[in-house]
Amino acid sequence: MPVSAVPDTLTLTRPDDWHLHVRDGAALASVLPYTARQFGRAIVMPNLRPPVKTTGQALAYRERILAARPEAGQPGADFEPLMTLYLTDLTPPEEIRRAKEAGIVALKLYPAGATTNSDAGVTDIRKTYTTLEAMQREGLLLLVHGEVTDPAIDVFDREAVFIDQVMQPLRRDFPELKVVFEHITTRDAAQYVASAGAHTAATVTAHHLLYNRNAIFQGGLRPHYYCLPVLKREVHRQALLEAIASGSDRFFLGTDSAPHAAVMKEASVCGAGCFTAPSALELYAEAFESIGALDKLDAFAGHHGPAFYGLPRNTGTVTLKREPWTLPESMPFADEASIKPLRGGETLAWRQCNVV
Ligand code: NCD
Ligand code: ZN
């Protein structure tokens, strides 16, 4: 490629993060500004302890998020959280109308026990069918953590088995429901989403685009690379890269930035989650550049998500420059704790320089 074809500046439609964990309380205050300075909006995951199960809880959580935004006049002060509810076996169908009227956009399906704070999740999708009918009717989206939890199924196969056992019947029974297969990690999921029709989409994280499962074991056990769904083989990473390079509007940005204090990650039982919010766009730019697809980043980050959710695009822009910088190894987190971002202490090639 001629040198002139490789840009040194990328100006993007102000993007959105369609899958984000920001926690609550002091932790929320520590992490939210990183997202607000890059993204116009974010889909906020409801897996707090206890989970956000009702419209009232979601609206109260929304207020706490708004209060944690940067001050008026600072970049990110206008950040907008998009709220979700945690779907359980017992979510009443009447909750869906209330949620819709309150501006809640989606419900999150966690198979019970699949990941961090998912004990209250769904034990059998059929138990939620009357609620899913209400969602289909009201136009709320279903966001799925696409892994089965059967201990007999190998952890690396759980996403593929989920497609057969849950996604296919779900699509057959609710053809009009908009479903987002969150944080896909396998070729199976990428192919499934590409062939599943206009009402099925997927979010893709930066870490699943940049790393395969070797990263977890590089020179010793690396807890900061442990997330769920767990990183997969290289063949799967390549399939995710092909999906984003295709430019298909059914794949869009969702960081799944999942903050845990460093002491929780560097423990004998390590919590699942990669904290990527401090350099999310930079990591995506690196992934797209690695396959010569930087021209596809703008639509992936700022156009496909709003189109699928039926929302307008953001109006501003963000600019990234090719400028090597070192991401801090550790950052303050909640009450005197610290947090280690993915790639902390390492040099990144791209750097966000402004939000307009
Ligand atoms: C998430 C978290 O920590 O809340 N962890 C993760 O590894 N992604 C939960 C989730 O989205 O699975
Ligand atoms: Zn998540």
Side-chain angles (χ1 to χ4, degrees), residues 14-98:
R14 189 161 183 215
D16 302 302
D17 184 347
W18 299 97
H19 184 125
L20 177 70
H21 301 267
V22 290
R23 314 304 187 204
D24 208 348
L28 165 63
S30 314
V31 300
L32 189 74
Y34 297 114
T35 292
R37 62 181 274 281
Q38 297 205 316
F39 297 98
R41 296 167 291 195
I43 285 282
V44 176
M45 287 294 134
N47 64 330
L48 302 182
R49 264 185 205 284
V52 179
K53 291 194 280 197
T54 66
T55 302
Q57 288 167 340
L59 290 180
Y61 186 31
R62 179 170 186 275
E63 290 305 314
R64 299 195 295 277
I65 296 169
L66 293 177
R69 295 186 300 184
E71 281 173 24
Q74 301 294 315
D78 57 348
F79 169 81
E80 171 106 22
L82 300 172
M83 305 310 294
T84 62
L85 297 186
Y86 192 111
L87 181 68
T88 74
D89 291 350
L90 301 173
T91 305
E94 307 81 60
E95 190 66 41
I96 301 308
R97 169 65 63 85
R98 278 194 289 277

Coordinates of all heavy atoms in Angstrom, one line a residue, residues 14-98:
R14 N -19.0 10.7 16.1 CA -18.9 10.4 17.5 C -19.6 9.0 17.7 O -20.8 8.9 17.5 CB -19.6 11.4 18.4 CG -19.3 11.2 19.8 CD -19.5 12.4 20.7 NE -19.1 12.1 22.0 CZ -19.6 12.6 23.1 NH1 -20.7 13.5 23.0 NH2 -19.2 12.3 24.3
P15 N -18.8 8.1 18.2 CA -19.3 6.7 18.3 C -20.1 6.4 19.5 O -20.2 7.3 20.4 CB -18.1 5.9 18.2 CG -17.0 6.7 18.9 CD -17.4 8.1 18.6
D16 N -20.7 5.2 19.6 CA -21.4 4.7 20.8 C -20.9 3.4 21.2 O -20.4 2.7 20.3 CB -22.9 4.5 20.4 CG -23.6 5.8 19.9 OD1 -23.6 6.8 20.7 OD2 -24.1 5.8 18.8
D17 N -21.0 3.1 22.5 CA -20.5 1.8 22.9 C -21.8 1.0 23.3 O -22.5 1.3 24.2 CB -19.7 2.0 24.2 CG -19.1 0.6 24.7 OD1 -19.6 -0.4 24.2 OD2 -18.2 0.7 25.6
W18 N -22.0 -0.1 22.5 CA -23.3 -0.8 22.6 C -23.3 -1.9 23.6 O -24.1 -2.8 23.6 CB -23.8 -1.3 21.2 CG -24.0 -0.1 20.3 CD1 -23.2 0.4 19.4 CD2 -25.2 0.8 20.3 NE1 -23.7 1.6 18.8 CE2 -24.9 1.8 19.4 CE3 -26.4 0.8 21.0 CZ2 -25.8 2.8 19.1 CZ3 -27.3 1.8 20.8 CH2 -27.0 2.8 19.9
H19 N -22.2 -2.0 24.4 CA -22.2 -3.0 25.5 C -21.1 -2.5 26.5 O -19.9 -2.6 26.3 CB -21.8 -4.3 25.0 CG -21.8 -5.4 26.0 ND1 -22.6 -6.6 25.9 CD2 -21.2 -5.5 27.2 CE1 -22.4 -7.3 26.9 NE2 -21.6 -6.7 27.8
L20 N -21.6 -2.1 27.7 CA -20.6 -1.5 28.7 C -21.1 -1.8 30.1 O -22.3 -1.7 30.4 CB -20.6 0.0 28.5 CG -19.8 0.8 29.4 CD1 -18.3 0.6 29.2 CD2 -20.0 2.3 29.3
H21 N -20.1 -2.0 31.0 CA -20.3 -2.2 32.4 C -19.7 -1.0 33.1 O -18.5 -0.7 32.9 CB -19.7 -3.4 32.9 CG -20.2 -4.7 32.3 ND1 -21.2 -5.4 32.8 CD2 -19.8 -5.3 31.1 CE1 -21.4 -6.5 32.0 NE2 -20.6 -6.4 31.0
V22 N -20.5 -0.2 33.9 CA -19.9 0.9 34.6 C -20.0 0.8 36.1 O -19.6 1.7 36.8 CB -20.5 2.3 34.1 CG1 -20.0 2.6 32.7 CG2 -22.0 2.3 34.2
R23 N -20.7 -0.3 36.6 CA -20.8 -0.6 38.0 C -21.6 0.6 38.7 O -22.4 1.2 38.0 CB -19.4 -0.7 38.7 CG -18.5 -1.7 38.0 CD -19.0 -3.0 37.7 NE -18.0 -3.9 37.2 CZ -18.2 -5.0 36.5 NH1 -19.5 -5.3 36.2 NH2 -17.3 -5.8 36.0
D24 N -21.3 0.8 40.0 CA -22.2 1.8 40.7 C -21.3 2.4 41.8 O -20.1 2.1 42.0 CB -23.3 1.0 41.4 CG -24.5 1.8 41.6 OD1 -24.5 3.1 41.5 OD2 -25.6 1.3 41.9
G25 N -21.8 3.5 42.4 CA -21.1 4.1 43.5 C -19.8 4.7 43.1 O -19.6 5.3 42.1
A26 N -18.8 4.5 44.0 CA -17.5 5.1 43.8 C -16.8 4.5 42.5 O -16.1 5.2 41.8 CB -16.6 4.8 45.0
A27 N -17.1 3.2 42.2 CA -16.5 2.6 41.0 C -17.0 3.3 39.8 O -16.3 3.6 38.8 CB -16.8 1.1 41.0
L28 N -18.3 3.5 39.8 CA -19.0 4.2 38.7 C -18.3 5.6 38.4 O -18.0 5.9 37.3 CB -20.5 4.4 39.0 CG -21.3 5.4 38.1 CD1 -21.3 5.0 36.7 CD2 -22.7 5.5 38.7
A29 N -18.1 6.3 39.5 CA -17.5 7.6 39.4 C -16.0 7.5 38.8 O -15.6 8.4 38.0 CB -17.4 8.3 40.7
S30 N -15.3 6.4 39.1 CA -14.0 6.3 38.6 C -13.9 6.0 37.1 O -13.0 6.4 36.4 CB -13.2 5.1 39.3 OG -13.4 5.2 40.7
V31 N -14.9 5.1 36.7 CA -14.7 4.6 35.3 C -15.5 5.4 34.2 O -15.2 5.4 33.1 CB -15.0 3.1 35.2 CG1 -14.1 2.3 36.0 CG2 -16.5 2.8 35.5
L32 N -16.6 6.0 34.6 CA -17.5 6.6 33.6 C -16.8 7.6 32.7 O -17.1 7.7 31.5 CB -18.8 7.2 34.2 CG -19.8 7.6 33.1 CD1 -20.5 6.3 32.5 CD2 -20.8 8.5 33.7
P33 N -16.0 8.5 33.3 CA -15.4 9.6 32.5 C -14.6 9.0 31.3 O -14.6 9.7 30.2 CB -14.5 10.4 33.4 CG -15.2 10.2 34.8 CD -15.7 8.7 34.7
Y34 N -14.0 7.9 31.4 CA -13.2 7.3 30.3 C -14.2 7.1 29.1 O -13.8 7.4 27.9 CB -12.5 6.0 30.7 CG -11.5 6.2 31.8 CD1 -11.7 5.6 33.0 CD2 -10.4 6.9 31.5 CE1 -10.8 5.7 34.0 CE2 -9.4 7.0 32.6 CZ -9.6 6.5 33.8 OH -8.7 6.6 34.8
T35 N -15.3 6.5 29.3 CA -16.3 6.2 28.3 C -16.9 7.5 27.7 O -17.0 7.7 26.5 CB -17.4 5.3 28.8 OG1 -16.8 4.0 29.0 CG2 -18.5 5.1 27.8
A36 N -17.2 8.4 28.7 CA -17.9 9.7 28.2 C -17.1 10.5 27.3 O -17.6 11.2 26.5 CB -18.3 10.5 29.5
R37 N -15.8 10.5 27.5 CA -14.9 11.3 26.6 C -14.8 10.7 25.2 O -14.4 11.4 24.3 CB -13.6 11.6 27.2 CG -12.7 10.5 27.5 CD -11.4 10.9 28.1 NE -10.4 11.4 27.1 CZ -9.7 10.5 26.4 NH1 -9.8 9.2 26.6 NH2 -8.8 11.0 25.5
Q38 N -15.1 9.4 25.0 CA -15.0 8.9 23.7 C -16.4 8.7 23.0 O -16.5 8.8 21.8 CB -14.3 7.5 23.7 CG -12.8 7.6 24.2 CD -12.0 6.5 23.8 OE1 -12.4 5.3 23.8 NE2 -10.8 6.8 23.3
F39 N -17.4 8.3 23.8 CA -18.6 7.8 23.2 C -19.8 8.8 23.5 O -19.9 9.3 24.6 CB -18.9 6.4 23.7 CG -17.9 5.4 23.3 CD1 -16.9 5.0 24.2 CD2 -18.0 4.8 22.0 CE1 -16.0 4.1 23.8 CE2 -17.0 3.9 21.6 CZ -16.0 3.5 22.5
G40 N -20.7 9.0 22.6 CA -21.9 9.8 22.8 C -22.9 9.1 23.7 O -23.5 9.7 24.6
R41 N -23.0 7.8 23.5 CA -24.0 7.0 24.3 C -23.4 5.6 24.6 O -22.4 5.2 23.9 CB -25.3 6.8 23.5 CG -26.0 8.0 23.2 CD -27.1 7.8 22.1 NE -26.5 7.5 20.8 CZ -27.1 7.5 19.6 NH1 -28.4 7.9 19.6 NH2 -26.5 7.3 18.5
A42 N -23.9 4.9 25.6 CA -23.5 3.6 25.8 C -24.7 2.8 26.3 O -25.5 3.3 27.1 CB -22.4 3.5 26.8
I43 N -24.8 1.5 25.9 CA -25.8 0.6 26.5 C -25.2 0.1 27.8 O -24.1 -0.5 27.8 CB -26.0 -0.6 25.5 CG1 -26.9 -0.2 24.3 CG2 -26.6 -1.8 26.2 CD1 -28.4 -0.1 24.6
V44 N -25.9 0.4 28.9 CA -25.3 0.1 30.2 C -25.9 -1.2 30.7 O -27.1 -1.4 30.8 CB -25.7 1.2 31.2 CG1 -25.2 0.9 32.6 CG2 -25.1 2.5 30.8
M45 N -25.0 -2.1 31.0 CA -25.4 -3.5 31.4 C -26.0 -3.4 32.8 O -25.6 -2.7 33.7 CB -24.2 -4.4 31.4 CG -23.8 -4.8 30.0 SD -25.1 -5.8 29.2 CE -25.2 -4.9 27.6
P46 N -27.0 -4.3 33.1 CA -27.8 -4.2 34.3 C -27.3 -5.2 35.4 O -28.0 -5.5 36.4 CB -29.2 -4.6 33.9 CG -28.9 -5.7 32.8 CD -27.6 -5.2 32.1
N47 N -26.1 -5.8 35.2 CA -25.7 -6.8 36.2 C -25.0 -6.3 37.4 O -23.9 -6.7 37.8 CB -24.8 -7.9 35.5 CG -23.4 -7.3 35.0 OD1 -23.3 -6.1 34.7 ND2 -22.4 -8.1 35.0
L48 N -25.7 -5.4 38.1 CA -25.2 -4.9 39.4 C -25.6 -6.0 40.4 O -26.3 -6.9 40.1 CB -25.9 -3.6 39.8 CG -25.8 -2.4 38.8 CD1 -26.5 -1.2 39.3 CD2 -24.3 -2.1 38.6
R49 N -25.2 -5.7 41.7 CA -25.6 -6.6 42.8 C -26.4 -5.7 43.7 O -25.9 -4.8 44.3 CB -24.4 -7.1 43.6 CG -24.0 -8.5 43.1 CD -22.9 -9.0 44.0 NE -22.1 -10.0 43.4 CZ -22.5 -11.2 43.2 NH1 -23.7 -11.6 43.6 NH2 -21.7 -12.1 42.6
P50 N -27.7 -5.9 43.9 CA -28.6 -6.8 43.1 C -28.8 -6.2 41.7 O -28.6 -5.0 41.4 CB -29.9 -6.8 43.9 CG -29.9 -5.4 44.6 CD -28.5 -5.1 44.9
P51 N -29.2 -7.1 40.7 CA -29.4 -6.7 39.4 C -30.5 -5.6 39.2 O -31.4 -5.5 40.0 CB -29.8 -8.0 38.6 CG -29.9 -9.0 39.6 CD -29.5 -8.5 40.9
V52 N -30.4 -4.9 38.1 CA -31.4 -3.9 37.7 C -32.5 -4.6 37.0 O -32.5 -4.9 35.8 CB -30.7 -2.8 36.8 CG1 -31.8 -1.7 36.4 CG2 -29.5 -2.2 37.5
K53 N -33.6 -4.9 37.8 CA -34.7 -5.7 37.2 C -35.9 -4.9 36.9 O -36.8 -5.4 36.2 CB -35.0 -6.8 38.2 CG -33.9 -7.8 38.4 CD -34.4 -9.1 39.1 CE -34.4 -8.9 40.6 NZ -34.5 -10.2 41.3
T54 N -36.1 -3.7 37.5 CA -37.3 -3.0 37.3 C -37.1 -1.6 36.6 O -35.9 -1.1 36.7 CB -38.1 -2.7 38.6 OG1 -37.3 -1.9 39.4 CG2 -38.4 -4.0 39.3
T55 N -38.1 -1.1 36.0 CA -38.0 0.3 35.4 C -37.6 1.3 36.5 O -36.7 2.1 36.2 CB -39.4 0.6 34.8 OG1 -39.7 -0.4 33.9 CG2 -39.3 2.0 34.1
G56 N -38.1 1.2 37.7 CA -37.8 2.1 38.7 C -36.3 2.0 39.1 O -35.6 3.1 39.2
Q57 N -35.8 0.8 39.2 CA -34.4 0.7 39.5 C -33.5 1.2 38.3 O -32.5 1.9 38.6 CB -34.0 -0.8 39.7 CG -34.6 -1.4 41.0 CD -34.5 -2.9 41.0 OE1 -34.4 -3.6 40.0 NE2 -34.6 -3.4 42.2
A58 N -33.9 1.0 37.1 CA -33.1 1.5 36.0 C -33.1 3.0 35.9 O -32.1 3.6 35.6 CB -33.7 0.9 34.7
L59 N -34.2 3.6 36.2 CA -34.3 5.1 36.2 C -33.4 5.7 37.3 O -32.7 6.7 37.1 CB -35.7 5.6 36.3 CG -36.6 5.3 35.1 CD1 -38.0 5.8 35.3 CD2 -36.0 5.9 33.8
A60 N -33.4 5.0 38.5 CA -32.6 5.5 39.6 C -31.1 5.4 39.2 O -30.3 6.3 39.5 CB -32.9 4.8 40.9
Y61 N -30.8 4.2 38.6 CA -29.4 4.0 38.2 C -29.0 5.0 37.1 O -27.9 5.6 37.2 CB -29.3 2.6 37.6 CG -27.9 2.1 37.3 CD1 -26.8 2.5 37.9 CD2 -27.7 1.1 36.3 CE1 -25.5 2.1 37.6 CE2 -26.5 0.6 35.9 CZ -25.4 1.1 36.6 OH -24.1 0.6 36.2
R62 N -29.9 5.3 36.2 CA -29.6 6.3 35.2 C -29.2 7.7 35.9 O -28.3 8.3 35.4 CB -30.8 6.5 34.3 CG -30.6 7.5 33.2 CD -31.8 7.5 32.2 NE -31.4 8.4 31.1 CZ -31.7 9.7 31.1 NH1 -32.3 10.3 32.1 NH2 -31.3 10.5 30.1
E63 N -30.0 8.1 36.9 CA -29.6 9.3 37.6 C -28.2 9.3 38.2 O -27.5 10.3 38.1 CB -30.7 9.6 38.7 CG -32.0 10.0 38.1 CD -32.0 11.2 37.2 OE1 -31.4 12.2 37.4 OE2 -32.7 11.1 36.1
R64 N -27.9 8.2 38.7 CA -26.5 8.1 39.3 C -25.4 8.1 38.3 O -24.4 8.7 38.5 CB -26.4 6.8 40.2 CG -27.4 6.7 41.3 CD -27.0 5.6 42.3 NE -27.1 4.2 41.8 CZ -28.2 3.5 41.7 NH1 -29.4 4.0 42.1 NH2 -28.2 2.2 41.3
I65 N -25.7 7.6 37.1 CA -24.8 7.6 36.0 C -24.7 9.1 35.5 O -23.5 9.6 35.3 CB -25.2 6.7 34.8 CG1 -25.2 5.2 35.3 CG2 -24.3 6.9 33.6 CD1 -25.8 4.3 34.3
L66 N -25.8 9.8 35.3 CA -25.8 11.2 34.9 C -24.9 12.0 35.9 O -24.2 12.9 35.4 CB -27.2 11.7 34.7 CG -28.0 11.1 33.6 CD1 -29.4 11.7 33.7 CD2 -27.4 11.3 32.3
A67 N -25.1 11.7 37.1 CA -24.3 12.5 38.1 C -22.8 12.2 38.1 O -22.0 13.0 38.6 CB -24.9 12.2 39.5
A68 N -22.4 11.1 37.5 CA -21.0 10.8 37.4 C -20.3 11.3 36.1 O -19.1 11.0 35.9 CB -20.8 9.2 37.5
R69 N -21.1 12.0 35.3 CA -20.5 12.5 34.0 C -19.6 13.6 34.3 O -19.6 14.3 35.3 CB -21.6 13.0 33.1 CG -22.6 11.9 32.7 CD -23.6 12.4 31.7 NE -24.4 13.5 32.2 CZ -25.4 14.1 31.5 NH1 -25.7 13.7 30.3 NH2 -26.1 15.0 32.0
P70 N -18.7 13.9 33.4 CA -17.8 15.1 33.5 C -18.6 16.3 33.7 O -19.8 16.4 33.2 CB -17.0 15.1 32.2 CG -17.0 13.7 31.7 CD -18.3 13.1 32.2
E71 N -18.1 17.3 34.3 CA -18.8 18.6 34.5 C -19.2 19.3 33.3 O -18.5 19.1 32.2 CB -18.0 19.5 35.4 CG -18.0 19.1 36.9 CD -17.0 20.0 37.7 OE1 -16.7 21.1 37.2 OE2 -16.6 19.4 38.7
A72 N -20.2 20.1 33.3 CA -20.7 20.9 32.2 C -19.5 21.6 31.6 O -18.7 22.2 32.3 CB -21.8 21.8 32.6
G73 N -19.4 21.6 30.3 CA -18.3 22.3 29.6 C -17.1 21.4 29.3 O -16.3 21.7 28.4
Q74 N -17.0 20.3 30.0 CA -15.9 19.4 29.8 C -16.3 18.4 28.7 O -17.5 18.1 28.6 CB -15.6 18.6 31.1 CG -15.2 19.4 32.3 CD -13.9 20.1 32.0 OE1 -12.9 19.5 31.5 NE2 -13.9 21.4 32.3
P75 N -15.3 17.8 28.0 CA -15.7 16.7 27.0 C -16.4 15.6 27.7 O -16.0 15.2 28.8 CB -14.3 16.3 26.5 CG -13.4 17.4 26.8 CD -13.9 18.1 28.0
G76 N -17.5 15.2 27.1 CA -18.2 14.0 27.7 C -19.4 14.4 28.6 O -20.1 13.6 29.1
A77 N -19.5 15.7 28.9 CA -20.6 16.2 29.8 C -22.0 15.8 29.3 O -22.9 15.7 30.0 CB -20.5 17.7 30.0
D78 N -22.1 15.6 27.9 CA -23.4 15.4 27.3 C -23.6 13.9 27.1 O -24.5 13.4 26.4 CB -23.5 16.1 26.0 CG -22.4 15.8 25.0 OD1 -21.4 15.1 25.5 OD2 -22.5 16.1 23.9
F79 N -22.7 13.0 27.6 CA -22.8 11.6 27.5 C -24.2 11.1 27.9 O -24.7 11.5 28.9 CB -21.7 10.9 28.3 CG -21.9 9.4 28.4 CD1 -21.6 8.6 27.3 CD2 -22.5 8.8 29.5 CE1 -21.8 7.2 27.4 CE2 -22.7 7.5 29.6 CZ -22.3 6.6 28.6
E80 N -24.7 10.2 27.2 CA -26.1 9.7 27.4 C -26.1 8.2 27.7 O -25.8 7.4 26.8 CB -26.9 10.1 26.2 CG -28.3 9.5 26.1 CD -29.4 10.5 26.3 OE1 -29.1 11.7 26.2 OE2 -30.4 10.1 26.7
P81 N -26.5 7.7 28.9 CA -26.6 6.3 29.1 C -27.9 5.7 28.5 O -28.9 6.4 28.7 CB -26.6 6.2 30.6 CG -27.1 7.5 31.1 CD -26.8 8.5 30.1
L82 N -27.8 4.6 27.9 CA -29.0 3.9 27.4 C -29.3 2.7 28.3 O -28.4 1.9 28.5 CB -28.8 3.5 25.9 CG -28.5 4.6 24.9 CD1 -28.1 4.0 23.6 CD2 -29.7 5.5 24.8
M83 N -30.5 2.7 28.9 CA -30.7 1.8 30.0 C -31.3 0.4 29.6 O -32.0 0.4 28.6 CB -31.5 2.4 31.1 CG -31.0 3.8 31.6 SD -29.3 3.8 32.1 CE -29.3 2.7 33.5
T84 N -30.9 -0.6 30.3 CA -31.4 -2.0 30.1 C -31.9 -2.6 31.4 O -31.5 -2.1 32.5 CB -30.3 -2.9 29.5 OG1 -29.3 -3.0 30.6 CG2 -29.6 -2.3 28.3
L85 N -32.8 -3.6 31.2 CA -33.2 -4.3 32.4 C -32.7 -5.7 32.3 O -32.4 -6.3 31.2 CB -34.8 -4.5 32.4 CG -35.6 -3.2 32.6 CD1 -37.1 -3.6 32.7 CD2 -35.1 -2.4 33.7
Y86 N -32.5 -6.3 33.5 CA -32.0 -7.7 33.6 C -33.2 -8.6 33.5 O -34.1 -8.6 34.3 CB -31.3 -7.8 35.0 CG -30.5 -9.0 35.2 CD1 -29.1 -8.9 35.4 CD2 -31.1 -10.2 35.5 CE1 -28.4 -10.0 35.7 CE2 -30.3 -11.3 35.7 CZ -29.0 -11.2 35.8 OH -28.2 -12.3 36.1
L87 N -33.2 -9.5 32.5 CA -34.3 -10.4 32.3 C -34.2 -11.6 33.3 O -33.1 -12.2 33.4 CB -34.3 -10.9 30.8 CG -35.4 -11.9 30.4 CD1 -36.8 -11.2 30.4 CD2 -35.1 -12.5 29.0
T88 N -35.3 -11.9 34.0 CA -35.3 -13.1 34.8 C -36.5 -14.0 34.4 O -37.3 -13.6 33.6 CB -35.4 -12.7 36.3 OG1 -36.8 -12.4 36.5 CG2 -34.5 -11.6 36.7
D89 N -36.5 -15.2 35.0 CA -37.6 -16.1 34.8 C -39.0 -15.4 35.1 O -40.0 -15.8 34.6 CB -37.5 -17.3 35.6 CG -36.4 -18.2 35.2 OD1 -35.8 -18.0 34.1 OD2 -36.0 -19.2 35.9
L90 N -38.9 -14.4 36.0 CA -40.1 -13.8 36.6 C -40.4 -12.4 36.1 O -41.3 -11.7 36.7 CB -40.0 -13.8 38.1 CG -39.8 -15.2 38.8 CD1 -39.5 -15.1 40.3 CD2 -41.0 -16.1 38.5
T91 N -39.6 -11.9 35.2 CA -39.9 -10.5 34.7 C -41.3 -10.5 34.1 O -41.7 -11.2 33.2 CB -38.9 -10.1 33.6 OG1 -37.6 -10.2 34.0 CG2 -39.2 -8.6 33.1
P92 N -42.2 -9.6 34.7 CA -43.6 -9.7 34.3 C -43.8 -9.0 32.9 O -43.1 -8.0 32.7 CB -44.4 -8.9 35.4 CG -43.4 -8.2 36.2 CD -42.0 -8.7 35.9
P93 N -44.6 -9.5 32.1 CA -44.8 -8.9 30.8 C -45.3 -7.4 30.9 O -44.9 -6.6 30.1 CB -46.0 -9.7 30.1 CG -46.1 -10.9 30.9 CD -45.4 -10.7 32.2
E94 N -46.0 -7.1 32.0 CA -46.4 -5.7 32.2 C -45.2 -4.7 32.4 O -45.4 -3.5 32.2 CB -47.3 -5.5 33.4 CG -48.5 -6.5 33.5 CD -48.1 -7.9 33.9 OE1 -47.7 -8.0 35.1 OE2 -48.3 -8.9 33.2
E95 N -44.1 -5.3 32.8 CA -42.9 -4.4 33.0 C -42.4 -3.8 31.7 O -41.8 -2.8 31.7 CB -41.8 -5.3 33.7 CG -40.6 -4.5 34.2 CD -41.0 -3.5 35.4 OE1 -41.7 -3.9 36.2 OE2 -40.4 -2.4 35.4
I96 N -42.7 -4.5 30.6 CA -42.2 -4.1 29.3 C -42.8 -2.8 28.9 O -42.1 -1.9 28.4 CB -42.4 -5.2 28.3 CG1 -41.7 -6.5 28.8 CG2 -41.9 -4.8 26.9 CD1 -40.3 -6.3 29.1
R97 N -44.1 -2.6 29.1 CA -44.8 -1.4 28.7 C -44.2 -0.2 29.5 O -43.9 0.9 29.0 CB -46.3 -1.5 28.9 CG -47.1 -0.2 28.8 CD -47.1 0.5 27.4 NE -47.6 -0.3 26.4 CZ -48.9 -0.4 26.1 NH1 -49.8 0.4 26.8 NH2 -49.4 -1.1 25.1
R98 N -44.1 -0.5 30.9 CA -43.5 0.6 31.7 C -42.1 1.0 31.3 O -41.7 2.1 31.2 CB -43.4 0.1 33.2 CG -44.7 0.1 34.0 CD -44.4 -0.1 35.5 NE -44.0 -1.4 35.8 CZ -44.9 -2.4 36.0 NH1 -46.2 -2.2 35.9 NH2 -44.5 -3.7 36.3

